Amino acid sequence: MLRFLNERKRSQKLIWVFISVIVVFGMVMFYAPTRGIPGTSSNVSEDELIAKVGDKEITALEYTKSLDLLMRAYQGFLSKDDSGMTYASLKTMGLDKTALNNLIKRKIIAMEVERLGLETTDRELQNHIREQFTVDGKWVGFDKYKKFVERSGQSLEEYEQSLRESLAEEKLRSFVTGSVSISKKEIQEQFNRENTSFNLVYTVAEPAEFLDKIKPTEEELRAFFEQRKEDFKSDKKQRKIDYVYVSQEQVSKTMTISDEELRKDFDPEKHIAGIRVSQIVIKYLVDKDEPTAREKANELVSRARGTLTGKPEDFAALARGYSQDTTTKDKGGDLGFIKREDIKPGSYLMNALNLKEGEISDPIHEGKAYYILKLVERRTKTFEEAKEALLASARNRLSYKRASEIADEAAKLLREKKDIKAVAAIIAEKIGSKPEETYKQTPFFAEGDDVPDIGSNPSFEEATAKLKPGDVGEKVGIRGGFAIPMLADTREPGLIPSFDEAKTKVEQKYKQEKAREICKQKVQAAIAAAAGKADALKASAEKEGLKTYTKDDYKVGSYLDSAGSGTQLEAAIMQLKEGTATDKPVVVSDRYIAIAAVKRTEPDMTKFNEQSRSIEERLAFDRREMTFNAYIDGIKKKLKESGKLVVYKETLDKIFGPEQTASK
């Protein structure tokens, strides 16, 4: 389609525009050919349906590739080895729903694009590619365009198809959000919020701090239950589950892992002691200058690599000539040696860990700057230095695997014997625990309830939802191990439980309410004693046994240790005058907070014109996102109501069957 561009004169410079490929890379993954679905059961074919969205289909192949993308993103953020991660692990974290919802959203967007006639034309695609791969007004040439795309592991067809979808989505977004506007009043209010600063003193009372101190008697709990019986009535069908519990920690204690086994896992390249890095930093002050900074960063990468000339330029010389980081510029960009543990997840320096010695990174956008990194040296750990981490990783991985195998054995035994206590005793002996620690029983619970020792666990709910009395369910991951569930009893909606049946929930609710009352009373007493004066709040709070905190130069959007953040908290702070304190507790989640402004600094209005454009753009972006998502959610709701959005749970169950490991 773009071969006519090959006739154009090639430019003398080429800025590799990685961003355009990265934006659509995730979409391309769904078009990449494959012969099967790695990591899933052999009985899941790639064209089996996961869902139908109107006339669009989501296949098992699309879905598992989406899971794998989320897996890689999760592992990259946490810098974790993926050997112990499974599709079941993703499901426990709720990422199965994230992947499915993202795919459903894509299909809805595709439907709306077709309905409104907003498809990307060949000419629009050509123009966009020519714009992205043009330097100094000249097309780089078809060969270089093709080479660049294929360097990312894609074919031209895959890249252009995903780009078509991306451009069509942008047209739909423009259609839906075209009327979005931000008033001058909103800009002014946001400017004031962002530029008013405070020196704060505050105190926080959290119910969790008092729960263990509350020791209700049986009589108090019974009285509480009698007064609040209706609170314990469920409008959903409830079930009680007996289960065999296989503790991963207990299994771990039975395992011996030799140095020989650890050495098999030891790869020095994966155990980095630290790195020496040089950098070039290109900064910008306002958003309108971001494209210029990006272009300069791309140019410097090209020069440092020698992309066009074949002769790389000296990185240190480029840093001294162009870097805008005053700390490292005169040292040729040298950051010195950085220990691995000092590199925080999410930092731009994480990118250096994936470089080879001497390799130069693509531009990395963080804050209002682009960073270009060169890995000067990588120091790896010896086996002895890495042994502790290797042992922890191996113990976790192998104990998870062994616990899973024992859970399978328990499930088989339970189906044969139908005697859960006998099976629990056998498993307890095998893993070195007590029978009463292995045989467990839940109280009656409904969907969404917080179940003792299990929590609110969608996987456990799904595994037990369709069981009949005496049925044995599939093993399911819960806190600290695996459960093999067996239905003990069910109860229809609307019934009030007996006190004994509800006792655990009664005690939880009683203690939570009493703890909230204590928090409220203590914070109210501190506020009353402070009498609205900022300099008195610290002493009055400490008199109530509450811890106090300080925060200087607080601005809206900042996080307050132990208090958190949120619109309600920010609104209360913005209302404070210098030297005053709140006249009532601010409640954030379950926390009760009192705040005082020791100092308040009003905005510098001379900076309004400088910031107003950026503020307007951010507010408009947020509003467009909210408008577009509401539009898509509205369509999704209508599709559900009309039966045109169908999810095939049986196919999902195959994918999330026993130990399905995410493909690499």
Side-chain angles (χ1 to χ4, degrees):
M1 182 188 64
L2 288 169
R3 291 186 181 275
F4 75 96
L5 293 170
N6 197 27
E7 303 296 322
R8 305 284 301 270
K9 185 179 179 180
R10 298 181 182 182
S11 67
Q12 296 176 347
K13 287 173 62 181
L14 176 60
I15 298 173
W16 295 107
V17 246
F18 284 95
I19 293 173
S20 62
V21 172
I22 291 169
V23 166
V24 296
F25 180 71
M27 298 170 66
V28 168
M29 295 296 291
F30 296 113
Y31 294 96
T34 181
R35 288 176 293 178
I37 304 181
T40 60
S41 304
S42 58
N43 62 343
V44 182
S45 63
E46 61 184 42
D47 58 353
E48 280 192 69
L49 291 186
I50 293 292
K52 284 197 73 172
V53 187
D55 60 351
K56 305 291 182 185
E57 296 179 344
I58 297 173
T59 65
L61 177 62
E62 285 181 288
Y63 183 57
T64 52
K65 289 198 173 197
S66 181
L67 290 173
D68 291 342
L69 283 172
L70 285 172
M71 171 72 81
R72 284 193 286 275
Y74 177 82
Q75 291 159 351
F77 179 73
L78 294 180
S79 301
K80 286 189 175 180
D81 174 47
D82 65 357
S83 55
M85 295 293 289
T86 65
Y87 283 154
S89 304
L90 293 177
K91 186 173 183 179
T92 300
M93 292 184 285
L95 294 180
D96 58 323
K97 291 182 173 63
T98 299
L100 183 57
N101 287 334
N102 286 343
L103 287 172
I104 289 172
K105 182 177 180 179
R106 285 184 58 221
K107 298 301 181 183
I108 291 173
I109 289 172
M111 287 168 56
E112 284 298 283
V113 163
E114 292 176 8
R115 185 179 71 83
L116 297 168
L118 299 176
E119 295 93 338
T120 302
T121 66
D122 288 350
R123 176 57 61 185
E124 287 170 333
L125 183 62
Q126 292 168 6
N127 289 344
H128 182 83
I129 294 173
R130 183 159 50 191
E131 178 184 330
Q132 292 295 310
F133 293 88
T134 295
V135 177
D136 297 331
K138 298 178 181 179
W139 163 243
V140 299
F142 179 78
D143 290 341
K144 286 186 177 178
Y145 160 65
K146 181 181 179 184
K147 182 179 178 182
F148 173 73
V149 171
E150 290 178 345
R151 269 184 65 189
S152 68
Q154 309 166 63
S155 68
L156 286 182
E157 290 75 16
E158 292 165 354
Y159 173 71
E160 291 178 5
Q161 174 60 34
S162 58
L163 190 55
R164 279 185 187 276
E165 291 190 10
S166 180
L167 293 173
E169 179 178 336
E170 285 305 309
K171 289 164 74 174
L172 178 62
R173 284 178 177 272
S174 296
F175 174 82
V176 173
T177 66
S179 62
V180 166
S181 63
I182 305 297
S183 69
K184 290 182 179 179
K185 181 181 178 183
E186 289 174 307
I187 298 170
Q188 181 67 63
E189 289 175 347
Q190 186 65 18
F191 174 81
N192 292 343
R193 280 194 292 271
E194 293 180 3
N195 291 276
T196 304
S197 64
F198 300 83
N199 288 357
L200 301 174
V201 173
Y202 62 98
T203 186
V204 181
E206 191 165 2
E209 297 173 0
F210 299 96
L211 288 174
D212 291 341
K213 299 175 183 178
I214 301 169
K215 308 291 185 183
T217 64
E218 181 92 357
E219 291 72 20
E220 288 174 324
L221 291 178
R222 285 187 180 276
F224 182 77
F225 175 72
E226 290 299 325
Q227 294 168 4
R228 310 281 290 277
K229 280 185 177 181
E230 289 294 321
D231 292 351
F232 300 98
K233 180 173 71 175
S234 176
D235 58 357
K236 302 175 183 176
K237 187 171 182 177
Q238 295 179 300
R239 52 193 176 274
K240 180 189 287 186
I241 299 294
D242 291 341
Y243 64 97
V244 176
Y245 175 58
V246 181
S247 165
Q248 184 179 345
E249 180 182 3
Q250 197 63 38
V251 170
S252 175
K253 292 176 182 178
T254 68
M255 302 180 69
T256 301
I257 303 172
S258 67
D259 282 4
E260 184 180 355
E261 289 176 290
L262 293 180
R263 287 184 186 279
K264 293 177 183 178
D265 291 336
F266 178 56
D267 179 354
E269 289 302 310
K270 291 183 179 179
H271 295 274
I272 301 171
I275 54 176
R276 186 174 179 184
V277 182
S278 292
Q279 67 176 9
I280 298 172
V281 184
I282 304 299
K283 299 179 180 179
Y284 61 94
L285 294 176
V286 293
D287 289 348
K288 67 181 180 64
D289 293 334
E290 184 272 332
T292 303
R294 181 175 70 241
E295 183 177 349
K296 187 64 180 177
N298 279 319
E299 177 192 336
L300 291 170
V301 168
S302 182
R303 290 172 62 180
R305 290 174 175 170
T307 303
L308 293 176
T309 64
K311 185 178 180 181
E313 296 185 37
D314 182 64
F315 190 90
L318 290 172
R320 281 189 283 268
Y322 296 98
S323 182
Q324 295 169 338
D325 179 56
T326 55
T327 306
T328 59
K329 176 177 180 174
D330 293 339
K331 296 185 290 185
D334 186 16
L335 281 166
F337 183 78
I338 307 169
K339 291 182 179 179
R340 173 63 184 87
E341 57 266 27
D342 291 337
I343 302 175
K344 297 179 180 179
S347 165
Y348 72 94
L349 289 170
M350 287 288 293
N351 294 270
L353 297 172
N354 298 318
L355 297 176
K356 298 176 183 177
E357 287 190 0
E359 187 178 1
I360 294 162
S361 73
D362 298 330
I364 303 154
H365 192 194
E366 183 172 297
K368 288 188 177 294
Y370 279 91
Y371 297 84
I372 304 164
L373 304 178
K374 178 180 179 179
L375 183 64
V376 178
E377 180 188 1
R378 178 200 302 270
R379 297 182 196 172
T380 57
K381 294 181 179 180
T382 64
F383 172 75
E384 290 301 324
E385 290 172 330
K387 184 175 176 179
E388 185 178 346
L390 284 168
L391 184 59
S393 176
R395 191 173 293 282
N396 182 62
R397 182 179 71 254
L398 296 174
S399 64
Y400 181 92
K401 181 180 178 182
R402 182 59 183 144
S404 177
E405 292 170 350
I406 293 172
D408 287 334
E409 293 176 28
K412 183 179 179 182
L413 277 172
L414 190 53
R415 291 190 182 95
E416 292 171 355
K417 295 179 177 295
K418 297 292 185 180
D419 185 339
I420 193 165
K421 290 185 178 179
V423 171
I426 294 170
I427 298 302
E429 184 177 358
K430 182 181 284 285
I431 66 176
S433 68
K434 299 175 182 178
E436 60 268 26
E437 294 171 345
T438 306
Y439 166 66
K440 295 197 173 188
Q441 187 177 63
T442 72
F444 278 102
F445 70 93
E447 183 180 345
D449 283 354
D450 192 342
V451 181
D453 298 326
I454 294 173
S456 180
N457 188 326
S459 299
F460 187 79
E461 290 174 4
E462 289 181 23
T464 58
K466 295 183 179 180
L467 294 180
K468 296 176 182 177
D471 279 357
V472 177
E474 298 293 335
K475 73 176 179 191
V476 59
I478 62 171
R479 290 176 185 168
F482 293 90
I484 301 87
M486 187 174 188
L487 184 64
D489 199 1
T490 60
R491 186 159 57 199
E492 294 303 315
L495 295 177
I496 295 176
S498 68
F499 170 76
D500 289 336
E501 290 171 334
K503 186 175 179 179
T504 300
K505 288 185 179 180
V506 172
E507 185 172 3
Q508 287 175 347
K509 193 174 185 67
Y510 178 91
K511 292 174 73 171
Q512 287 166 356
E513 291 193 8
K514 288 296 180 184
R516 281 196 290 268
E517 288 176 17
I518 292 170
C519 290
K520 184 178 180 180
Q521 289 167 2
K522 284 183 174 290
V523 173
Q524 283 178 332
I527 289 172
K533 296 177 181 178
D535 57 4
L537 181 63
K538 185 176 188 298
S540 65
E542 290 175 349
K543 186 178 179 181
E544 292 296 326
L546 300 175
K547 188 176 179 180
T548 57
Y549 307 83
T550 60
K551 174 74 172 179
D552 291 342
D553 198 30
Y554 170 88
K555 291 182 180 178
V556 164
S558 301
Y559 183 86
L560 289 178
D561 289 342
S562 299
S565 61
T567 55
Q568 196 171 0
L569 184 63
E570 292 170 353
I573 294 172
M574 286 299 296
Q575 291 174 6
L576 291 174
K577 295 178 181 179
E578 186 169 313
T580 66
T582 48
D583 59 0
K584 60 182 178 181
V586 180
V587 183
V588 177
S589 298
D590 270 355
R591 297 184 292 275
Y592 286 77
I593 305 162
I595 319 163
V598 177
K599 181 181 178 182
R600 174 178 175 134
T601 305
E602 299 297 335
D604 180 355
M605 296 308 297
T606 63
K607 295 183 178 180
F608 178 75
N609 289 337
E610 177 188 332
Q611 297 181 23
S612 60
R613 179 67 177 174
S614 173
I615 290 172
E616 182 180 11
E617 288 174 355
R618 282 188 281 110
L619 292 177
F621 175 83
D622 290 344
R623 188 164 296 172
R624 283 193 292 267
E625 283 296 297
M626 183 174 64
T627 302
F628 185 73
N629 289 334
Y631 177 83
I632 297 300
D633 288 344
I635 295 172
K636 183 177 178 179
K637 182 179 179 182
K638 290 180 181 178
L639 288 171
K640 279 184 177 179
E641 291 172 347
S642 63
K644 294 181 180 179
L645 172 53
V646 181
V647 176
Y648 297 96
K649 188 176 180 300
E650 59 272 20
T651 311
L652 289 171
D653 288 342
K654 291 181 186 178
I655 290 173
F656 292 104
E659 293 311 290
Q660 301 310 331
T661 303
S663 61
K664 307 279 196 299

